[in-house]
mmCIF file of all heavy atoms in Angstrom:
data_model
loop_
_atom_site.group_PDB
_atom_site.id
_atom_site.type_symbol
_atom_site.label_atom_id
_atom_site.label_comp_id
_atom_site.label_asym_id
_atom_site.label_seq_id
_atom_site.Cartn_x
_atom_site.Cartn_y
_atom_site.Cartn_z
ATOM 1 N N ASN A 1 1.646 3.892 -8.248
ATOM 2 C CA ASN A 1 2.227 5.219 -8.466
ATOM 3 C C ASN A 1 2.814 5.771 -7.169
ATOM 4 O O ASN A 1 3.931 6.312 -7.159
ATOM 5 C CB ASN A 1 1.153 6.168 -9.001
ATOM 6 C CG ASN A 1 1.700 7.540 -9.319
ATOM 7 O OD1 ASN A 1 2.512 7.695 -10.224
ATOM 8 N ND2 ASN A 1 1.259 8.552 -8.573
ATOM 9 N N GLY A 2 2.086 5.623 -6.061
ATOM 10 C CA GLY A 2 2.586 6.101 -4.774
ATOM 11 C C GLY A 2 3.844 5.364 -4.339
ATOM 12 O O GLY A 2 4.791 5.974 -3.817
ATOM 13 N N LEU A 3 3.873 4.057 -4.569
ATOM 14 C CA LEU A 3 5.042 3.259 -4.189
ATOM 15 C C LEU A 3 6.262 3.621 -5.031
ATOM 16 O O LEU A 3 7.381 3.721 -4.519
ATOM 17 C CB LEU A 3 4.727 1.770 -4.331
ATOM 18 C CG LEU A 3 3.674 1.203 -3.371
ATOM 19 C CD1 LEU A 3 3.312 -0.224 -3.753
ATOM 20 C CD2 LEU A 3 4.172 1.248 -1.933
ATOM 21 N N LEU A 4 6.052 3.827 -6.329
ATOM 22 C CA LEU A 4 7.171 4.171 -7.208
ATOM 23 C C LEU A 4 7.721 5.557 -6.889
ATOM 24 O O LEU A 4 8.937 5.788 -6.939
ATOM 25 C CB LEU A 4 6.729 4.098 -8.672
ATOM 26 C CG LEU A 4 6.446 2.692 -9.217
ATOM 27 C CD1 LEU A 4 5.913 2.774 -10.645
ATOM 28 C CD2 LEU A 4 7.695 1.825 -9.167
ATOM 29 N N LEU A 5 6.843 6.505 -6.569
ATOM 30 C CA LEU A 5 7.306 7.847 -6.197
ATOM 31 C C LEU A 5 8.152 7.789 -4.927
ATOM 32 O O LEU A 5 9.156 8.494 -4.802
ATOM 33 C CB LEU A 5 6.111 8.775 -5.999
ATOM 34 C CG LEU A 5 5.367 9.209 -7.265
ATOM 35 C CD1 LEU A 5 4.128 10.030 -6.902
ATOM 36 C CD2 LEU A 5 6.276 10.017 -8.181
ATOM 37 N N ALA A 6 7.720 6.924 -3.987
ATOM 38 C CA ALA A 6 8.488 6.765 -2.748
ATOM 39 C C ALA A 6 9.867 6.173 -3.039
ATOM 40 O O ALA A 6 10.879 6.606 -2.470
ATOM 41 C CB ALA A 6 7.727 5.880 -1.770
ATOM 42 N N LEU A 7 9.936 5.192 -3.939
ATOM 43 C CA LEU A 7 11.224 4.600 -4.311
ATOM 44 C C LEU A 7 12.125 5.637 -4.981
ATOM 45 O O LEU A 7 13.340 5.668 -4.741
ATOM 46 C CB LEU A 7 11.006 3.406 -5.241
ATOM 47 C CG LEU A 7 10.388 2.144 -4.640
ATOM 48 C CD1 LEU A 7 10.167 1.086 -5.714
ATOM 49 C CD2 LEU A 7 11.274 1.584 -3.527
ATOM 50 N N ASP A 8 11.538 6.478 -5.829
ATOM 51 C CA ASP A 8 12.323 7.522 -6.497
ATOM 52 C C ASP A 8 12.933 8.496 -5.499
ATOM 53 O O ASP A 8 14.012 9.052 -5.745
ATOM 54 C CB ASP A 8 11.444 8.285 -7.485
ATOM 55 C CG ASP A 8 11.123 7.468 -8.722
ATOM 56 O OD1 ASP A 8 11.805 6.446 -8.938
ATOM 57 O OD2 ASP A 8 10.199 7.835 -9.458
ATOM 58 N N ASP A 9 12.242 8.701 -4.375
ATOM 59 C CA ASP A 9 12.742 9.614 -3.339
ATOM 60 C C ASP A 9 13.708 8.924 -2.375
ATOM 61 O O ASP A 9 14.149 9.536 -1.398
ATOM 62 C CB ASP A 9 11.570 10.200 -2.538
ATOM 63 C CG ASP A 9 10.719 11.148 -3.366
ATOM 64 O OD1 ASP A 9 11.250 11.680 -4.353
ATOM 65 O OD2 ASP A 9 9.539 11.347 -3.034
ATOM 66 N N GLY A 10 14.016 7.651 -2.619
ATOM 67 C CA GLY A 10 14.930 6.919 -1.746
ATOM 68 C C GLY A 10 14.288 6.396 -0.479
ATOM 69 O O GLY A 10 14.987 6.023 0.472
ATOM 70 N N ASN A 11 12.946 6.364 -0.442
ATOM 71 C CA ASN A 11 12.234 5.899 0.750
ATOM 72 C C ASN A 11 11.849 4.430 0.625
ATOM 73 O O ASN A 11 11.837 3.857 -0.468
ATOM 74 C CB ASN A 11 10.970 6.730 0.977
ATOM 75 C CG ASN A 11 11.275 8.176 1.299
ATOM 76 O OD1 ASN A 11 12.314 8.472 1.881
ATOM 77 N ND2 ASN A 11 10.385 9.078 0.920
ATOM 78 N N VAL A 12 11.526 3.843 1.746
ATOM 79 C CA VAL A 12 10.931 2.509 1.770
ATOM 80 C C VAL A 12 9.467 2.663 2.165
ATOM 81 O O VAL A 12 9.082 3.634 2.822
ATOM 82 C CB VAL A 12 11.664 1.567 2.763
ATOM 83 C CG1 VAL A 12 13.083 1.354 2.337
ATOM 84 C CG2 VAL A 12 11.601 2.129 4.178
ATOM 85 N N SER A 13 8.633 1.711 1.760
ATOM 86 C CA SER A 13 7.199 1.796 2.033
ATOM 87 C C SER A 13 6.718 0.524 2.707
ATOM 88 O O SER A 13 7.184 -0.580 2.392
ATOM 89 C CB SER A 13 6.418 2.014 0.738
ATOM 90 O OG SER A 13 6.809 3.204 0.089
ATOM 91 N N LEU A 14 5.790 0.693 3.617
ATOM 92 C CA LEU A 14 5.101 -0.429 4.237
ATOM 93 C C LEU A 14 3.710 -0.501 3.635
ATOM 94 O O LEU A 14 2.930 0.454 3.726
ATOM 95 C CB LEU A 14 5.022 -0.244 5.752
ATOM 96 C CG LEU A 14 4.260 -1.319 6.544
ATOM 97 C CD1 LEU A 14 4.853 -2.710 6.304
ATOM 98 C CD2 LEU A 14 4.279 -0.996 8.038
ATOM 99 N N LEU A 15 3.412 -1.607 2.977
ATOM 100 C CA LEU A 15 2.122 -1.811 2.323
ATOM 101 C C LEU A 15 1.343 -2.858 3.099
ATOM 102 O O LEU A 15 1.841 -3.960 3.336
ATOM 103 C CB LEU A 15 2.330 -2.273 0.878
ATOM 104 C CG LEU A 15 1.068 -2.577 0.057
ATOM 105 C CD1 LEU A 15 0.268 -1.305 -0.184
ATOM 106 C CD2 LEU A 15 1.437 -3.227 -1.282
ATOM 107 N N ALA A 16 0.132 -2.511 3.513
ATOM 108 C CA ALA A 16 -0.735 -3.445 4.245
ATOM 109 C C ALA A 16 -2.046 -3.600 3.493
ATOM 110 O O ALA A 16 -2.677 -2.605 3.110
ATOM 111 C CB ALA A 16 -0.996 -2.940 5.666
ATOM 112 N N LEU A 17 -2.445 -4.838 3.255
ATOM 113 C CA LEU A 17 -3.689 -5.147 2.553
ATOM 114 C C LEU A 17 -4.683 -5.717 3.562
ATOM 115 O O LEU A 17 -4.469 -6.809 4.102
ATOM 116 C CB LEU A 17 -3.436 -6.150 1.425
ATOM 117 C CG LEU A 17 -2.308 -5.806 0.443
ATOM 118 C CD1 LEU A 17 -2.191 -6.885 -0.624
ATOM 119 C CD2 LEU A 17 -2.552 -4.450 -0.202
ATOM 120 N N LEU A 18 -5.753 -4.986 3.821
ATOM 121 C CA LEU A 18 -6.748 -5.393 4.812
ATOM 122 C C LEU A 18 -7.920 -6.068 4.126
ATOM 123 O O LEU A 18 -8.331 -5.678 3.030
ATOM 124 C CB LEU A 18 -7.236 -4.174 5.606
ATOM 125 C CG LEU A 18 -6.161 -3.298 6.268
ATOM 126 C CD1 LEU A 18 -6.824 -2.175 7.058
ATOM 127 C CD2 LEU A 18 -5.266 -4.133 7.170
ATOM 128 N N ASP A 19 -8.470 -7.046 4.797
ATOM 129 C CA ASP A 19 -9.607 -7.792 4.256
ATOM 130 C C ASP A 19 -10.690 -7.870 5.332
ATOM 131 O O ASP A 19 -10.401 -8.149 6.496
ATOM 132 C CB ASP A 19 -9.172 -9.204 3.836
ATOM 133 C CG ASP A 19 -10.313 -9.991 3.206
ATOM 134 O OD1 ASP A 19 -10.689 -9.658 2.071
ATOM 135 O OD2 ASP A 19 -10.821 -10.912 3.855
ATOM 136 N N LEU A 20 -11.935 -7.625 4.924
ATOM 137 C CA LEU A 20 -13.050 -7.691 5.861
ATOM 138 C C LEU A 20 -13.690 -9.068 5.823
ATOM 139 O O LEU A 20 -13.748 -9.719 4.778
ATOM 140 C CB LEU A 20 -14.099 -6.633 5.528
ATOM 141 C CG LEU A 20 -13.695 -5.180 5.745
ATOM 142 C CD1 LEU A 20 -14.847 -4.250 5.375
ATOM 143 C CD2 LEU A 20 -13.282 -4.941 7.172
ATOM 144 N N SER A 21 -14.180 -9.501 6.968
ATOM 145 C CA SER A 21 -14.843 -10.795 7.080
ATOM 146 C C SER A 21 -16.349 -10.610 6.943
ATOM 147 O O SER A 21 -16.955 -9.860 7.712
ATOM 148 C CB SER A 21 -14.498 -11.436 8.428
ATOM 149 O OG SER A 21 -15.144 -12.669 8.578
ATOM 150 N N THR A 22 -16.946 -11.276 5.946
ATOM 151 C CA THR A 22 -18.400 -11.206 5.684
ATOM 152 C C THR A 22 -18.907 -9.777 5.794
ATOM 153 O O THR A 22 -19.905 -9.489 6.471
ATOM 154 C CB THR A 22 -19.179 -12.126 6.639
ATOM 155 O OG1 THR A 22 -18.924 -11.706 7.996
ATOM 156 C CG2 THR A 22 -18.765 -13.573 6.479
ATOM 157 N N ALA A 23 -18.235 -8.861 5.113
ATOM 158 C CA ALA A 23 -18.515 -7.438 5.271
ATOM 159 C C ALA A 23 -19.945 -7.071 4.869
ATOM 160 O O ALA A 23 -20.626 -6.332 5.579
ATOM 161 C CB ALA A 23 -17.515 -6.634 4.440
ATOM 162 N N PHE A 24 -20.415 -7.595 3.736
ATOM 163 C CA PHE A 24 -21.728 -7.218 3.241
ATOM 164 C C PHE A 24 -22.854 -7.720 4.145
ATOM 165 O O PHE A 24 -23.951 -7.184 4.132
ATOM 166 C CB PHE A 24 -21.934 -7.777 1.825
ATOM 167 C CG PHE A 24 -21.193 -7.028 0.758
ATOM 168 C CD1 PHE A 24 -19.808 -6.939 0.766
ATOM 169 C CD2 PHE A 24 -21.866 -6.399 -0.274
ATOM 170 C CE1 PHE A 24 -19.121 -6.255 -0.214
ATOM 171 C CE2 PHE A 24 -21.189 -5.705 -1.272
ATOM 172 C CZ PHE A 24 -19.811 -5.639 -1.233
#
């Protein structure tokens, strides 16, 4: 939803997916 709203406003988005190592 956030990405689509940004596209509707003519913006570009940087999406970063973070992953933890042996977090638990």
Side-chain angles (χ1 to χ4, degrees):
N1 183 66
L3 294 172
L4 290 176
L5 288 175
L7 290 177
D8 287 345
D9 292 337
N11 295 330
V12 297
S13 300
L14 177 57
L15 178 67
L17 309 181
L18 307 182
D19 183 72
L20 292 180
S21 179
T22 60
F24 284 61

